[in-house]
């Protein structure tokens, strides 16, 4: 989960828009790796043989657009997910702060994990739809789009199908939080200097490293969740899942029994390769959107740089700055 330091010169709506747009662009840029990851997790026949081979096979059989299956659903999910996550995070932070208003590293990570968990549960049906759109054959689709998928899943399988595997989002948050905590508590030893002196590049590497470790530890839960989301008697070949199971525990057992323990980490390579470009595109897009907003608010001279506008009090809130400008025009 990427976080940015709150800038009081942006409105709450602008921060949400910047974050959602940055997330949508980064998701779209790395969508092919996400499709290959989900395919390997579910166990689709075309996902075998390595990333290049599976990607080439998918492109030849279903067209280039197949590498972006489910991306629209993932992007549309960002708006409610981000809004719920931000609101939940603030609530959890208030629970963990001490009497002096301080919060420990572990409590901060826990607050972020719990907020992500709440947002994931609230928007879980869209995640199920994304998985179904990814695993279906683009040339012979069972679902014509997002709304059609929602309608068909609800009427054919019931509302429970839209929350199949949701408990794994909760269970997976535990190893994810532990992995993040292990990395962030040892950053000073890794770099050999206090965390307050970290450069932007070091913070970027820290985020990628923490995400890599956390996702590796929680990946088995993610794999089982994808299998549960994809499996359906209403889909051809039962959704393309490589095993047959009944429930979460049985899915773990059957995967290990038939495919081996390492099968729980199928798709991890594609997922890890996705981290650096994902965060890189996300941070660069967020920063550009932030500059555009700061320029529109009147704090900087150009959306291409952070050069401050001469004579502007940077401590003013956006509304205060606008009122100050209007007052100045009236007096003039």
């Amino acid at each position: 989960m990427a976080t940015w330091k709150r800038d009081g010169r942006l409105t709450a709506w602008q921060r949400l828009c910047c974050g959602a747009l940055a997330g949508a662009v980064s998701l779209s840029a790395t969508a092919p790796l996400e499709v290959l990851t989900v395919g390997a997790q579910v166990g689709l026949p075309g996902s075998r043989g390595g990333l290049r081979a599976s990607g080439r096979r998918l492109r030849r059989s279903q067209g280039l657009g197949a590498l972006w299956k489910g991306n629209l659903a993932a992007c549309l999910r960002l708006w409610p997910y981000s809004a719920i996550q931000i609101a939940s995070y603030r609530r959890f932070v208030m629970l963990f702060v001490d009497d002096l208003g301080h919060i420990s590293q572990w409590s901060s990570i826990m607050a972020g994990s719990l907020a992500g968990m709440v947002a994931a549960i609230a928007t879980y049906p869209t995640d199920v739809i994304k998985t179904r759109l990814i695993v279906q054959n683009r040339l012979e689709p069972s679902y014509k789009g997002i709304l059609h998928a929602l309608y068909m899943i609800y009427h054919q399988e019931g509302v429970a199908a839209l929350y199949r595997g949701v408990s794994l989002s909760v269970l997976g948050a535990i190893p994810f939080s532990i992995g993040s905590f292990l990395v962030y508590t040892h950053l000073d030893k890794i770099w050999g200097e206090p965390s307050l002196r970290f450069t932007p590049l070091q913070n970027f590497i820290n985020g990628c490293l923490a995400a890599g470790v956390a996702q590796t530890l929680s990946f088995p839960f993610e794999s089982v969740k994808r299998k549960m989301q994809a499996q359906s008697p209403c889909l051809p070949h039962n959704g393309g899942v490589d095993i047959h199971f009944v429930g979460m525990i049985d899915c773990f057992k059957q995967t290990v029994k038939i495919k081996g323990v390492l099968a729980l980490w199928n798709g991890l390579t594609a997922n890890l390769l996705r981290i650096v470009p994902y965060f890189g595109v996300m941070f660069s897009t967020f920063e550009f959107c932030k500059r555009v907003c700061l320029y529109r608010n009147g704090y900087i001279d150009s959306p291409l740089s952070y050069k401050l506008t001469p004579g502007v009090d940077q401590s003013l809130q956006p509304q205060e700055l606008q009122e100050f400008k209007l007052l100045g025009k009236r007096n003039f």
Side-chain angles (χ1 to χ4, degrees):
M1 179 185 65
T3 58
W4 298 279
K5 184 177 180 181
R6 183 173 179 177
D7 192 330
R9 297 174 298 173
L10 300 179
T11 64
W13 174 248
Q14 286 175 332
R15 285 193 297 271
L16 180 61
C17 287
C18 286
L21 183 59
V25 173
S26 57
L27 279 175
S28 300
T30 59
L33 288 172
E34 171 72 1
V35 170
L36 296 179
T37 298
V38 173
Q41 289 175 318
V42 172
L44 298 178
S47 63
R48 302 187 184 96
L51 289 178
R52 292 184 62 182
S54 57
R56 191 183 302 114
R57 193 179 299 114
L58 181 62
R59 179 177 57 82
R60 288 177 178 175
S61 62
Q62 301 184 38
L64 185 62
L67 295 172
W68 277 267
K69 290 190 296 182
N71 184 60
L72 180 59
C75 291
L76 292 177
R77 179 174 180 251
L78 280 172
W79 292 95
Y81 184 95
S82 299
I84 296 171
Q85 185 184 41
I86 291 172
S88 301
Y89 180 73
R90 292 175 182 171
R91 294 281 186 177
F92 286 121
V93 165
M94 294 299 294
L95 293 176
F96 290 134
V97 294
D98 57 23
D99 296 336
L100 299 177
H102 299 149
I103 184 170
S104 66
Q105 185 76 59
W106 170 248
S107 297
S108 179
I109 292 174
M110 280 298 298
S113 299
L114 290 172
M117 191 189 307
V118 171
I121 293 173
T123 60
Y124 194 78
T126 59
D127 195 39
V128 173
I129 291 171
K130 183 193 77 170
T131 300
R132 293 290 183 93
L133 293 175
I134 288 177
V135 301
Q136 74 173 357
N137 189 319
R138 183 167 171 263
L139 301 181
E140 299 176 356
S142 300
Y143 309 115
K144 299 177 182 178
I146 298 172
L147 294 179
H148 184 249
L150 177 63
Y151 175 84
M152 294 299 291
I153 294 172
Y154 175 76
H155 283 276
Q156 290 181 340
E157 305 173 54
V159 67
L162 293 170
Y163 290 90
R164 190 176 296 152
V166 67
S167 58
L168 289 159
S169 294
V170 178
L171 295 175
I174 298 174
F176 189 93
S177 299
I178 293 174
S180 300
F181 179 71
L182 290 175
V183 172
Y184 280 113
T185 53
H186 291 83
L187 288 177
D188 53 345
K189 297 178 182 178
I190 295 174
W191 294 106
E193 57 185 73
S195 59
L196 295 175
R197 298 179 183 177
F198 289 161
T199 64
L201 177 60
Q202 286 176 319
N203 284 324
F204 173 76
I205 295 175
N206 295 341
C208 292
L209 181 61
V213 173
Q215 289 182 19
T216 300
L217 292 178
S218 62
F219 204 75
F221 296 92
E222 184 73 12
S223 294
V224 172
K225 183 183 76 173
R226 293 300 179 196
K227 291 181 188 294
M228 295 184 69
Q229 289 177 337
Q231 180 177 260
S232 171
C234 302
L235 295 177
H237 309 292
N238 206 33
V241 183
D242 56 355
I243 60 171
H244 295 284
F245 57 89
V246 181
M248 178 182 67
I249 302 299
D250 190 45
C251 186
F252 272 105
K253 289 181 178 180
Q254 294 299 325
T255 300
V256 174
K257 180 180 177 180
I258 298 173
K259 299 293 181 178
V261 176
L262 293 180
L264 293 171
W265 280 270
N266 282 347
L268 179 62
T269 301
N271 193 60
L272 293 179
L273 289 176
R274 179 172 169 261
I275 289 175
V276 173
Y278 179 85
F279 282 114
V281 173
M282 178 183 288
F283 282 119
S284 58
T285 304
F286 182 85
E287 289 301 318
F288 177 74
C289 293
K290 179 180 174 181
R291 288 197 300 268
V292 171
C293 292
L294 289 176
Y295 173 71
R296 290 178 59 86
N297 292 350
Y299 290 102
I300 60 177
D301 267 344
S302 168
L304 301 179
S305 70
Y306 277 110
K307 185 178 180 181
L308 303 180
T309 303
V312 173
D313 186 351
Q314 299 291 322
S315 65
L316 292 175
Q317 297 290 315
Q319 185 62 33
E320 293 175 329
L321 181 59
Q322 296 302 320
E323 292 176 353
F324 183 78
K325 287 182 177 180
L326 290 174
L327 181 62
K329 290 180 180 180
R330 290 170 183 171
N331 290 340
F332 181 75

